Amino acid sequence: MSKSKYRKSTVVVIERQLLNSLTFIQLPGTAAKVLFWFLTRRQYVSDKGKGSKEWTNYNNGEIVFSYPEAEEKFKLTRPRFKRAIDNLIKFGFIDINHHGGGMAKDMTTYYISDRWRDYGTPD
């Protein structure tokens, strides 16, 4: 394991509550796969130092997932990837932190959100 204080893990942690939620079950098409690929981009830092089992996501709001990467690495067309992003925002799984401008090499950055917990409620 790296001696860095930041942990890049090969493990993706997904809350059981998320997997069993009606919101997740209602996600259309490719959106669930794209959500999992977003979750793999989270990076964690130890809260209490070496040996601690408590970790905090330190790059939330700085997560990048570009259209070219979706096309090349995951073979998703631009319209399909856009629909997945739109659905993840609509259902409350991600939020846009910064709208990038593709021509200026300014990347859109995203937050992993907990708004999915309130999906379908007045909140």
Side-chain angles (χ1 to χ4, degrees):
M1 187 154 124
S2 169
K3 294 187 180 199
S4 170
K5 68 177 184 173
Y6 302 111
R7 181 177 188 183
K8 288 186 179 182
S9 177
T10 57
V11 174
V12 178
V13 177
I14 302 168
E15 295 176 57
R16 184 169 294 154
Q17 186 179 9
L18 182 150
L19 285 176
N20 294 332
S21 71
L22 186 57
T23 308
F24 179 76
I25 292 166
Q26 292 176 344
L27 267 180
T30 307
K33 287 181 187 178
V34 173
L35 173 62
F36 292 151
W37 291 325
F38 264 102
L39 295 177
T40 66
R41 295 160 192 274
R42 294 182 293 186
Q43 295 177 351
Y44 290 88
V45 63
S46 175
D47 286 340
K48 297 183 179 179
K50 190 174 182 176
S52 173
K53 292 185 180 182
E54 295 183 33
W55 296 86
T56 301
N57 176 225
Y58 79 89
N59 69 329
N60 208 14
E62 300 172 6
I63 296 171
V64 174
F65 195 168
S66 69
Y67 281 78
E69 181 182 6
E71 282 182 307
E72 294 166 19
K73 190 172 182 180
F74 301 110
K75 308 301 183 219
L76 296 176
T77 63
R78 285 181 178 261
R80 193 171 182 193
F81 186 60
K82 182 180 181 340
R83 275 192 308 274
I85 294 286
D86 290 346
N87 280 312
L88 291 173
I89 292 169
K90 173 185 169 185
F91 283 80
F93 290 101
I94 64 171
D95 289 312
I96 294 175
N97 178 42
H98 168 74
H99 284 276
M103 298 308 280
K105 305 251 183 198
D106 179 27
M107 304 296 270
T108 299
T109 56
Y110 300 90
Y111 282 104
I112 304 294
S113 175
D114 283 336
R115 289 186 307 105
W116 61 268
R117 296 176 192 277
D118 296 327
Y119 183 77
T121 68
D123 295 335

